[in-house]
Amino acid sequence: MDTITELYEKVYLFENNRELLKYKLEYRNVPMWPLIRASVIQKAIDKENGINANVNKRANVKKNKLVELTVKNPFLSLSKDILYLGFDDRGTSIQEGGLVYDERIMPYMQMNRKSCMLISNVNLDVRYSYDNWKSDYVFHYLASKQIFTSEKDAKTARELLKYIENKLSIDIGKELFRGLFDIIMSYSKYLSGYVKVCKQYLKIIRPKLVVICCSSYMGFLQVASNLACRDLHISTAEIQHALEVRNSKAHHWGDAIIRSRSCQKIFPDYFLMYGKYWSDAVALPSKKVVIGTHRKYRVNIGKRNDNVLICLSMSNEKYNELIEWVLNNTDINTKVYLRLHPLENTEKDRSIFAKFKASDRFEFANEKKLEYYLMKCTYVISTGSTVIYEALTCGNIVFVPRDELYYYTNVNFIEDKIYSFQTFQELDKIWKRRNEIPTTAYDDFYDMNYKELYGRFIENMIGKSL
């Protein structure tokens, strides 16, 4: 077993112990461990193994307080059946006509557009395409004014950190322990205020369903929203936003967490997945439901060509060598497309690969949707990305380097569907026999029937046909 997976497995084994759950906030008996778990994994496992999934963080947006308190104040809104909460502008992109929206959720929202509301943390200077959207600024502003003080929480937090030090066989430095203590005490201080504000808003908008972005990552607004909705008997859900693998900071938990009623109350009621494949990778207290994907993946197993699409999840100079190999080992009629992760499609990241622009066979591939480039290429080289699964859905032949992301994202679980390589010599052997490799389209990663599947889920939640 590879090192990074061994470390994740230690976390899951640690979470099988019910004793872990005795360390709770004074407020609502909320278990402390889930509140800091993502930070432990990100900083004690991922970062130590050279994984930095948040390379380009969202820039702070300067707020116009007058607009935030009036035009975009969520408390000044009418009741809606569905509330989409916490979808910030990191997932947005510019669409036709210059309008901006989050392509991951827009098609789902459009199915019930008149009776849904979006609460988001966004840059108010751009033109958003949503009919009904408000800012989350007031939530944070009001909640920050309501402070809870608990000496008991400070004592319990120290006891939990001591327990982690003794029982979790992962090296956690003193600096991280101090940071974990601060996180716990932030929840102790502000969580009750967040829940109160959320409940006040929910009583105004009166939704039947709240879809919470990244709910299982346990951010302030996410935890508070789940607690508030549970108090008011409102169903909650989280939509899958990327690949789901066993090595997960948020969607794979140990048995004691999954079975705990105390933990269940801070998780969403439903986890909504793109296809049935992901069900085996996800382990959390939420009920799993397949809603399909709105993306139009077309099967591409007809006419073949030698075009190559290279998709990266993290921009890094080491991939220069890979791109150079592809350009040097394909003929003059082969087009090589490079697609950067949407959050890393910046001038700085593109400049890493600027030297390849001199070749008329090289082209950046972020101007159009991924599906467009998948249809133009027979071969895909990707690392640590959902593109691997999307390409397999379309019938592309997928090559994957066995680098640190290979095991980090559990690509080894689908080794029978891909062609992996560790060296360029191995890649060369695969490339030379590429014409012998059959094209196969897999239908278990993404169900295309999202209108029926998501529509059925929504109808069950709100009690009316769409």
Side-chain angles (χ1 to χ4, degrees):
M1 188 184 294
D2 58 282
T3 302
I4 198 163
T5 295
E6 287 177 344
L7 293 171
Y8 272 86
E9 293 299 327
K10 286 181 179 180
V11 172
Y12 306 146
L13 183 63
F14 173 70
E15 291 177 340
N16 286 342
N17 193 339
R18 290 174 59 86
E19 187 180 1
L20 174 63
L21 299 175
K22 74 179 184 181
Y23 304 99
K24 300 178 179 180
L25 293 178
E26 188 174 353
Y27 176 71
R28 303 284 294 270
N29 288 320
V30 171
M32 291 180 174
W33 168 251
L35 307 179
I36 59 173
R37 193 244 209 177
S39 294
V40 171
I41 291 178
Q42 184 174 344
K43 296 179 181 179
I45 297 180
D46 294 357
K47 190 175 181 180
E48 289 302 310
N49 284 273
I51 305 295
N52 186 0
N54 296 314
V55 176
N56 286 325
K57 295 183 178 180
R58 180 180 186 274
N60 290 327
V61 176
K62 187 176 181 180
K63 297 293 185 179
N64 182 325
K65 290 187 178 181
L66 178 61
V67 174
E68 297 283 359
L69 296 173
T70 55
V71 178
K72 292 305 171 187
N73 186 340
F75 285 83
L76 304 177
S77 56
L78 302 174
S79 65
K80 299 290 180 183
D81 287 331
I82 306 172
L83 170 64
Y84 292 84
L85 180 65
F87 293 85
D88 64 35
D89 59 7
R90 281 179 295 188
T92 58
S93 56
I94 300 175
Q95 308 296 324
E96 293 182 9
L99 295 177
V100 170
Y101 61 76
D102 190 330
E103 184 266 344
R104 297 173 301 177
I105 61 166
M106 186 63 163
Y108 298 116
M109 292 179 63
Q110 286 176 321
M111 293 177 63
N112 195 35
R113 190 162 184 156
K114 291 184 179 179
S115 192
C116 66
M117 172 65 71
L118 175 74
I119 304 295
S120 183
N121 182 2
V122 296
N123 182 345
L124 297 172
D125 294 332
V126 298
R127 296 172 58 214
Y128 285 89
S129 181
Y130 308 112
D131 292 333
N132 302 305
W133 78 274
K134 302 287 185 179
S135 170
D136 67 357
Y137 173 85
V138 171
F139 283 91
H140 302 294
Y141 176 79
L142 294 177
S144 68
K145 305 298 181 182
Q146 304 179 51
I147 298 173
F148 178 75
T149 303
S150 173
E151 293 183 5
K152 180 181 177 182
D153 283 349
K155 180 176 180 293
T156 305
R158 293 188 182 94
E159 291 173 350
L160 169 61
L161 296 176
K162 188 66 177 178
Y163 179 82
I164 293 172
E165 186 177 24
N166 293 333
K167 299 292 186 179
L168 180 59
S169 51
I170 293 176
D171 184 26
I172 299 178
K174 291 182 179 179
E175 183 178 352
L176 177 53
F177 270 121
R178 286 193 292 268
L180 297 176
F181 179 82
D182 291 341
I183 291 172
I184 294 172
M185 294 313 297
S186 293
Y187 279 93
S188 173
K189 188 175 182 179
Y190 294 114
L191 184 57
S192 60
Y194 270 89
V195 173
K196 183 177 180 180
V197 172
C198 286
K199 288 175 72 170
Q200 290 171 340
Y201 173 67
L202 290 169
K203 289 177 180 178
I204 293 172
I205 193 171
R206 294 182 293 167
K208 296 181 177 67
L209 172 68
V210 179
V211 180
I212 308 168
C213 180
C214 297
S215 181
S216 302
Y217 283 86
M218 300 293 151
F220 268 108
L221 197 53
Q222 285 80 0
V223 173
S225 299
N226 280 313
L227 287 170
C229 287
R230 201 164 292 274
D231 288 348
L232 299 174
H233 306 289
I234 299 169
S235 295
T236 56
E238 175 184 5
I239 297 179
Q240 175 181 353
H241 68 276
L243 58 82
E244 292 299 340
V245 296
R246 185 176 175 86
N247 293 349
S248 172
K249 290 186 280 293
H251 297 119
H252 194 101
W253 299 73
D255 286 344
I257 304 294
I258 295 171
R259 300 177 187 278
S260 166
R261 290 191 176 183
S262 296
C263 290
Q264 288 171 4
K265 66 187 179 183
I266 58 176
F267 279 84
D269 296 315
Y270 300 93
F271 184 71
L272 310 179
M273 303 175 299
Y274 296 141
K276 61 185 179 181
Y277 171 83
W278 310 105
S279 183
D280 290 336
V282 173
L284 70 172
S286 310
K287 183 178 180 180
K288 294 175 278 189
V289 177
V290 174
I291 61 166
T293 179
H294 55 81
R295 296 186 174 99
K296 296 177 176 60
Y297 299 121
R298 291 182 291 163
V299 175
N300 184 22
I301 57 176
K303 186 177 179 180
R304 295 173 64 151
N305 57 44
D306 278 348
N307 293 343
V308 180
L309 172 62
I310 302 173
C311 293
L312 305 180
S313 64
M314 289 193 286
S315 299
N316 193 301
E317 285 83 350
K318 68 181 179 182
Y319 294 113
N320 270 292
E321 194 174 355
L322 171 62
I323 299 167
E324 192 167 339
W325 186 94
V326 174
L327 284 169
N328 290 338
N329 288 271
T330 53
D331 64 39
I332 59 173
N333 296 318
T334 298
K335 287 284 291 185
V336 178
Y337 299 90
L338 175 64
R339 185 177 180 88
L340 305 181
H341 188 283
L343 295 182
E344 298 184 345
N345 183 29
T346 66
E347 287 300 322
K348 178 182 177 182
D349 291 305
R350 291 166 77 98
S351 67
I352 295 174
F353 309 102
K355 66 179 182 180
F356 299 114
K357 293 170 67 176
S359 171
D360 59 4
R361 298 197 294 120
F362 174 85
E363 183 179 320
F364 281 108
N366 284 86
E367 299 306 313
K368 300 180 185 296
K369 292 182 178 181
L370 172 65
E371 299 92 296
Y372 171 83
Y373 298 102
L374 290 176
M375 293 303 295
K376 291 184 74 68
C377 302
T378 296
Y379 303 98
V380 173
I381 302 177
S382 186
T383 175
S385 172
T386 51
V387 172
I388 294 170
Y389 302 88
E390 293 167 301
L392 289 172
T393 299
C394 294
N396 296 88
I397 296 171
V398 182
F399 304 147
V400 183
R402 292 195 301 276
D403 55 14
E404 69 276 10
L405 293 178
Y406 185 82
Y407 295 102
Y408 173 66
T409 55
N410 297 125
V411 179
N412 51 307
F413 285 11
I414 56 168
E415 282 182 325
D416 60 327
K417 298 177 175 64
I418 61 170
Y419 296 84
S420 66
F421 62 93
Q422 189 135 24
T423 66
F424 289 129
Q425 288 78 11
E426 291 180 13
L427 176 57
D428 185 59
K429 288 180 180 179
I430 300 170
W431 183 254
K432 285 179 177 176
R433 65 180 181 89
R434 64 190 180 281
N435 292 325
E436 302 170 16
I437 300 175
T439 53
T440 304
Y442 298 89
D443 62 4
D444 54 341
F445 301 125
Y446 298 95
D447 193 312
M448 307 298 173
N449 194 23
Y450 83 96
K451 288 188 176 180
E452 179 180 341
L453 294 172
Y454 191 62
R456 188 187 308 151
F457 173 75
I458 292 300
E459 288 175 18
N460 290 336
M461 293 297 102
I462 69 177
K464 65 175 75 170
S465 299
L466 299 182

